[in-house]
């Protein structure tokens, strides 16, 4: 399956299994989503389970909070992560806090899916990676898969989870893995082992990272598209890097991170999002705090620049394998 | 030659009455009691346009119930309603005092607005869900199954506080009484109510939702979003706008009320709308029943603008004498909701001055006893009671994640 098919399959499975699951968002119903992630779901499950919504992110998330308070398990879509901002108040002030402020009287078991990330000439408002705006919010879970198998298992786990989950989908990975070599043809998921996805129900547990590539020389902490970019970079630099795909950004799998960095003694953090106060800052702080005496080099961060995401300069902005490889070499030099 | 352009100027609405002046209430555009028609339950939203600019009223100046909105006579229910309003006012008065005595840190009264929430509560059915603001305590106090002492424990953040000391006073949550958790962020609950109503429809349930917002907060985007979603999905929801003329110091004209009504927004969004005398218990009861019945019969949402006046200060942190006439409430043409229902019931022979005095006394005693009972459980301000430290970390997520377990450990060590 492609990642699109895997995500669709996760929603299909959950619509089938749990009568309280509903799926809606802009163009999600009849048309099946601008990325085809919900294609066929309305025809199969009916209009009261899968439907189109007005262009109002605040309204989509706000109604979802109300539905969740009723007892449903809404899975809503924000068409692009770049457009979640109108729903910020409902996400931060409401969904994230409902359980806490009502002492469990009401809860918000909802999942908000958002295609994110760049590398598609999406310009300023079709490329952003706003994960740090969610990881900073107490009460939210933030999840990002990097491949079809994880995408389905993590999405099912997110829908089943009783906490509100921000589910970020790197759209650059929808049809195939991408290592940053934009000049090479895209390899489809059908030719990748992680494109192998079971039909039925399974989960990939939240709060657990995956060792994407075992290695001994340096730990790379990353997620989403940058997993493949980091893999290519390690290979091209000839460095035996251990690449950790965090999968769950927050809460995260601290033991996996600590075990790896203690083993390698070096750490490079890689993400597409802008650098300052980005999620990488939290990762670097955690590594510093928990692995200080094992570190043999300063922690490196390879990230998007602190600028809005440009159009023409896409590949100067996107942290490609050359930049990651340079950071791996720097980490090895000291 | 083109004409010389006139300089433009910015229009900034002002209330007619500022401190030391008298408010000109003619902007309210009142209708006489009984004058406004009562449409069929299945009236189309567009056909309610006239109702958005007139005012549904039942009680006339001498306390007679007149016109098509007069509910069938039910002395027992009205007596219950009067008692609920008096209870709400007695509760507020006592809690204001408790705040002055530094037993609680903060309070918000609903003086003058008691009819709206209490009568509305009597029009709903068990299982319906209200999404209130901080000024609908009447929804809870109209019920007999919500002990006043429990509310006071929330206000005191004490050992029996159902919110575990996490919330500012008045931010109650009572799922079992159909009262959604109050949020500090204005308007957010308005769209959530629509979602709750959609959920009820999705499940083929028979419950309806009731959404609440003030005149000031209608300017928030969630208000408009709620109208759109309620209309699009024909959600079984009552959209209540409590127009008490003020948002803290801001006159309702600054919220967009000048030369129009908040009810008109409903019609503009394709939602049946009513503009109702919020100080007329019978009108509130009747209009609420109409809207509830519409929702229950899948006829869609109703927006109701309740015209009332915020007779008290915005909160215990507010001093209204700095921005409006001190005696404004006495001149508000719709009067006081308790006095008006009392007049009606007395006229009907269903109430007497004696009884009024007795009920008042009994309620005052009940409130005092409830406060005593609540005080037995201490409070953050009275005896420094704070909940156990783990309650700060619990409930952020369903299960406490590792980083919060670690922070709890640190907090225990460092504090
Ligand atoms: C989003 C947001 N902005 C500002 C405030 C501060 N605030 C609290 S109450 C209030 C006035 C609300 O007025 P209105 O909606 O008319 O309701 P009323 O207090 O009159 O019942 C304001 C501005 C807030 N709580 N939330």
């Amino acid at each position: 399956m492609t990642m699109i098919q895997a995500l669709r399959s996760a929603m299909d499975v959950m619509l089938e299994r749990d009568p309280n699951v509903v799926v809606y968002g802009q163009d999600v119903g009849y048309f099946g989503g601008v990325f085809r992630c919900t294609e066929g779901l309305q025809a199969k499950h009916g209009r009261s389970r899968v439907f189109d919504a007005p262009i109002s992110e605040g309204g989509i998330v706000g109604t979802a909070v109300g539905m969740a308070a009723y007892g449903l398990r809404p899975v809503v879509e924000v068409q692009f992560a770049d457009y979640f901002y109108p729903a910020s108040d409902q996400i931060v002030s409401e969904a994230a806090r409902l359980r806490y402020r009502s002492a469990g009287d009401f809860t918000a078991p909802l999942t908000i899916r958002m295609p994110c990330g760049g590398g598609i000439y999406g310009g300023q408002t079709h490329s952003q990676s706003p994960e740090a705006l969610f990881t900073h919010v107490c009460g939210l879970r933030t999840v990002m898969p990097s491949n079809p198998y994880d995408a389905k298992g993590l999405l099912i786990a997110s829908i089943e989870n009783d906490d509100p989950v921000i589910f970020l989908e790197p759209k650059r990975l929808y049809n195939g893995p991408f290592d940053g070599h934009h000049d090479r043809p895209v390899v489809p998921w059908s030719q990748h082992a992680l494109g192998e996805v079971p039909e039925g129900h399974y989960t990939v547990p939240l709060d657990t990272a995956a060792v994407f590539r075992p290695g001994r020389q340096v730990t790379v902490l990353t997620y989403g598209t940058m997993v493949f970019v980091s893999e290519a970079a390690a290979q091209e630099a000839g460095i035996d890097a251990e690449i950790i795909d965090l999968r769950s950004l927050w809460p995260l799998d601290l033991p996996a991170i600590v075990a790896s960095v203690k083993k390698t003694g070096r750490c490079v953090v890689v993400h597409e999002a802008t650098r300052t106060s980005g999620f990488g800052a939290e990762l670097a702080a955690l590594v510093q705090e928990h692995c200080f005496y094992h570190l043999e080099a300063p922690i490196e961060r390879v990230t998007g620049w602190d600028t809005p995401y440009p159009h023409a300069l896409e590949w100067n902005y996107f942290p490609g394998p050359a930049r990651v490889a340079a950071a791996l070499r720097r980490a090895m030099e000291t | 030659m083109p004409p010389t352009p006139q300089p433009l100027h910015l229009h900034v609405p002002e209330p007619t009455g500022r401190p030391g002046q008298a408010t000109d209430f003619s902007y309210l555009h009142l209708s006489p009691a009984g004058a406004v028609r009562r449409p069929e339950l299945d009236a189309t939203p567009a056909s309610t346009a006239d109702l958005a600019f007139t005012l549904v009223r039942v009680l006339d100046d001498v306390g007679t119930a007149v016109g098509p909105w007069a509910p069938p006579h039910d002395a027992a229910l009205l007596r219950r309603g009067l008692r609920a309003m008096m209870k709400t006012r007695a509760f507020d008065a006592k809690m204001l005092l408790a705040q002055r005595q530094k037993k609680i840190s903060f309070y918000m009264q609903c003086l003058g607005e008691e009819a709206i929430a209490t009568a509305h509560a009597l029009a709903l059915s068990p299982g319906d869900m209200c999404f209130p603001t901080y000024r609908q305590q009447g929804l809870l106090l109209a019920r007999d199954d919500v002990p006043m002492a429990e509310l006071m424990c929330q206000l005191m953040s004490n050992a029996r506080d159902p919110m575990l000391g996490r919330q500012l006073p008045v931010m109650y949550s009572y799922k079992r009484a159909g009262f959604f958790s109050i949020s500090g962020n204005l308007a957010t609950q308005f769209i959530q109510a629509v979602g709750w109503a959609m959920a009820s429809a999705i499940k083929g349930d028979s419950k309806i939702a009731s959404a609440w917002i003030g005149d000031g907060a209608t300017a928030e985007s969630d208000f408009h979003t709620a109208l759109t979603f309620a209309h699009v999905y024909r959600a079984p929801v009552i959209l209540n706008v409590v127009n008490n003329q003020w948002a803290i110091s801001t006159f309702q004209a600054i919220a967009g009320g000048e030369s129009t009504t908040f009810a008109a927004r409903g019609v503009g969004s394709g939602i049946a709308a009513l503009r109702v005398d919020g100080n007329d218990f019978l009108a509130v009861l009747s209009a609420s029943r109409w809207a509830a019945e519409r929702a229950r019969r899948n006829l869609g949402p109703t927006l109701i603008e309740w015209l009332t006046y915020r007779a008290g200060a915005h909160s215990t942190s507010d001093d209204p004498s700095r921005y409006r006439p001190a005696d404004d409430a006495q001149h508000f043409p719709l009067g006081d909701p308790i006095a008006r229902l009392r007049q009606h019931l007395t006229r009907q022979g269903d109430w007497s001055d004696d009884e009024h005095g007795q009920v008042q006394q009994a309620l005052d005693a009940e409130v005092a006893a409830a406060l005593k009972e609540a005080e037995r459980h201490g409070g953050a301000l009275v005896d420094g009671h704070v909940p156990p430290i783990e309650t700060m970390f619990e409930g952020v997520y369903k299960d406490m994640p590792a980083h919060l377990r670690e922070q709890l450990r640190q907090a225990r060590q460092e504090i």
Side-chain angles (χ1 to χ4, degrees):
Chain A
M1 289 186 196
T2 64
M3 193 186 281
I4 290 169
Q5 291 163 334
L7 293 164
R8 185 192 305 148
S9 173
M11 287 184 268
D12 190 22
V13 165
M14 288 312 295
L15 281 160
E16 194 83 54
R17 270 170 84 96
D18 184 346
N20 289 327
V21 169
V22 290
V23 172
Y24 63 102
Q26 292 152 28
D27 304 295
V28 157
Y30 183 85
F31 178 59
V34 293
F35 292 108
R36 321 308 305 149
C37 285
T38 53
E39 191 170 28
L41 295 182
Q42 182 178 73
K44 183 169 173 193
H45 300 281
R47 266 202 311 244
S48 65
R49 304 281 307 284
V50 181
F51 52 90
D52 289 318
I55 304 168
S56 167
E57 292 70 21
I60 289 168
V61 177
T63 48
V65 173
M67 288 186 198
Y70 175 94
L72 299 191
R73 216 166 258 279
V75 182
V76 297
E77 179 179 301
V78 170
Q79 206 159 67
F80 289 86
D82 314 65
Y83 302 128
F84 92 84
Y85 305 105
S88 306
D89 195 24
Q90 287 290 340
I91 294 174
V92 176
S93 312
E94 302 294 319
R97 308 264 186 79
L98 188 55
R99 177 190 296 279
Y100 190 76
R101 75 163 193 242
S102 73
D105 203 23
F106 293 92
T107 58
L110 59 112
T111 304
I112 308 175
R113 294 179 41 241
M114 309 182 190
C116 71
I120 56 145
Y121 279 106
Q124 295 190 20
T125 58
H126 300 82
S127 308
Q128 294 170 38
S129 297
E131 63 270 17
L133 296 175
F134 301 116
T135 54
H136 185 59
V137 178
C138 47
L140 293 181
R141 292 178 174 275
T142 304
V143 174
M144 193 191 300
S146 68
N147 59 73
Y149 181 88
D150 283 357
K152 178 171 174 180
L154 285 170
L155 182 53
I156 291 177
S158 298
I159 296 171
E160 289 178 342
N161 194 281
D162 288 332
D163 299 320
V165 180
I166 304 294
F167 196 87
L168 293 160
E169 303 166 2
K171 56 188 164 306
R172 179 68 228 216
L173 300 181
Y174 269 163
N175 290 304
F178 177 65
D179 63 8
H181 286 293
H182 50 95
D183 40 353
R184 297 180 192 164
V186 178
V187 182
W189 279 116
S190 56
Q191 289 170 36
H192 197 283
L194 290 165
E196 196 99 349
V197 177
E199 285 296 330
H201 176 277
Y202 70 91
T203 59
V204 170
L206 303 186
D207 309 352
T208 59
V211 177
F212 185 79
R213 180 199 187 281
R216 292 205 318 249
Q217 290 181 293
V218 53
T219 297
V220 178
L221 301 180
T222 190
Y223 46 89
T225 308
M226 288 300 135
V227 168
F228 297 97
V229 174
S230 301
E231 185 188 36
Q235 196 187 20
E236 288 157 27
I239 291 171
D240 187 20
E242 176 148 289
I243 299 170
I244 310 261
D245 177 358
L246 294 176
R247 302 196 293 198
S248 285
L249 306 195
W250 200 263
L252 52 49
D253 188 350
L254 187 60
I257 295 170
V258 172
S260 178
V261 177
K262 282 190 173 169
K263 180 177 74 177
T264 63
R266 295 167 205 274
C267 179
V268 176
V269 174
V270 186
H271 62 56
E272 280 184 69
T274 51
R275 181 170 308 166
T276 303
S277 298
F279 186 55
E282 186 60 42
L283 292 172
L286 284 171
V287 169
Q288 185 275 145
E289 185 182 335
H290 293 274
C291 311
F292 186 73
Y293 294 106
H294 294 78
L295 283 174
E296 289 165 38
I299 301 162
E300 290 278 342
R301 277 189 288 167
V302 186
T303 69
W305 308 115
D306 281 344
T307 70
Y309 206 112
H311 185 251
L313 289 169
E314 172 96 63
W315 304 114
N316 297 79
Y317 178 93
F318 185 91
R323 278 183 61 205
V324 178
L328 291 174
R329 286 192 203 98
R330 280 198 303 276
M332 293 310 299
E333 275 162 16
T334 25
Chain B
M1 268 219 357
T4 337
Q6 294 287 304
L8 299 168
H9 68 271
L10 182 71
H11 175 65
V12 181
E14 265 292 306
T16 53
R18 285 296 191 186
Q21 302 168 331
T23 299
D24 174 4
F25 283 108
S26 64
Y27 74 90
L28 291 172
H29 294 288
L30 307 180
S31 314
V36 171
R37 70 190 179 90
R38 185 180 193 276
E40 293 301 318
L41 272 181
D42 61 357
T44 63
S47 75
T48 63
D50 59 319
L51 300 167
F53 289 95
T54 50
L55 193 68
V56 172
R57 305 176 70 189
V58 171
L59 292 174
D60 67 12
D61 289 346
V62 292
T64 335
V66 293
W69 287 93
H73 184 67
D74 182 346
L77 188 76
L78 294 185
R79 286 162 51 87
R80 202 178 140 203
L82 182 56
R83 189 180 173 279
M85 285 198 284
M86 293 170 70
K87 180 173 158 193
T88 305
R89 190 167 290 184
F91 184 89
D92 276 356
K94 191 75 174 176
M95 293 306 101
L96 275 185
L97 194 65
Q99 194 276 334
R100 303 265 144 75
Q101 295 170 335
K102 298 194 164 37
K103 291 175 182 172
I104 61 179
S105 64
F106 176 79
Y107 192 67
M108 299 177 99
Q109 56 175 332
C110 66
L111 186 69
E113 302 176 33
E114 294 92 345
I116 301 166
T118 54
H120 191 83
L122 298 181
L124 295 178
S125 300
D128 294 342
M129 184 64 71
C130 287
F131 287 73
T133 79
Y134 45 72
R135 226 183 285 285
Q136 276 79 49
Q137 55 264 56
L139 292 170
L140 291 170
L141 290 159
R143 303 176 65 111
D144 301 320
D145 57 351
V146 177
M148 282 191 283
E150 217 166 274
L151 300 177
M152 291 169 179
C153 290
Q154 195 281 326
L155 299 173
M156 299 178 73
S157 285
N158 70 16
R160 285 285 174 88
D161 172 9
M163 301 298 103
L164 308 172
R166 290 175 183 159
Q167 277 270 46
L168 202 65
V170 313
M171 305 278 176
Y172 313 109
S173 177
Y174 265 95
K175 190 177 190 174
R176 64 177 163 80
F179 190 97
F180 184 72
S181 155
I182 295 177
S183 165
N185 293 61
L186 291 173
T188 49
Q189 76 287 343
F190 216 58
I191 179 69
Q192 292 164 1
V194 176
W196 196 97
M198 288 169 68
S200 183
I202 287 168
K203 299 302 278 184
D205 203 342
S206 58
K207 297 175 194 138
I208 64 168
S210 181
W212 294 86
I213 200 165
D215 48 279
T218 61
E220 289 285 0
S221 57
D222 282 339
F223 172 71
H224 305 271
T225 308
L227 267 52
T228 300
F229 279 66
H231 164 69
V232 167
Y233 300 107
R234 218 172 285 168
V237 62
I238 308 173
L239 301 160
N240 300 281
V241 179
V242 180
N243 179 1
N244 64 13
Q245 317 307 318
W246 294 95
I248 310 185
S249 74
T250 311
F251 182 56
Q252 57 107 32
I254 284 278
E258 195 170 69
S259 310
T260 185
T261 69
F262 295 98
R265 267 74 160 179
V267 180
S269 302
I271 294 172
L274 301 173
R275 188 166 175 264
V276 181
D277 181 345
N279 291 2
D280 179 341
F281 189 92
L282 274 66
V284 178
L285 183 67
S286 190
S288 297
R289 281 175 172 167
W290 189 82
E293 198 54 29
R294 260 179 79 81
R296 251 182 255 291
R297 292 201 198 168
N298 276 310
L299 294 168
T302 305
L303 185 145
I304 308 179
E305 174 182 348
W306 305 106
L307 204 62
T308 185
Y309 189 86
R310 197 198 76 211
H314 169 72
S315 73
T316 50
S317 312
D318 174 50
D319 172 11
S321 73
R322 298 177 61 132
Y323 51 80
R324 69 182 192 191
D327 58 351
D328 224 23
Q330 282 101 281
H331 299 291
F332 182 65
L334 299 177
D336 177 78
I338 293 182
R340 286 175 66 192
L341 182 58
R342 177 183 177 180
Q343 182 191 35
H344 171 68
L345 281 178
T346 307
R347 193 182 177 87
Q348 296 279 136
D350 294 323
W351 197 257
S352 69
D353 288 354
D354 267 1
E355 185 169 9
H356 196 85
Q358 280 158 19
V359 169
Q360 187 68 59
Q361 241 180 7
L363 283 171
D364 289 343
E366 195 183 330
V367 174
L371 183 58
K372 254 210 180 92
E373 156 75 17
E375 281 180 301
R376 282 194 10 233
H377 305 291
L381 298 194
V382 289
D383 65 357
H385 161 90
V386 288
I389 199 156
E390 59 268 19
T391 57
M392 182 156 67
F393 296 92
E394 287 163 351
V396 180
Y397 297 87
K398 185 179 183 201
D399 303 308
M400 198 186 296
H403 71 283
L404 287 182
R405 288 200 302 274
E406 169 60 15
Q407 288 176 28
L408 170 58
R409 192 192 60 77
Q410 285 177 22
R412 282 203 168 113
Q413 223 168 43
E414 292 168 14
I415 298 163

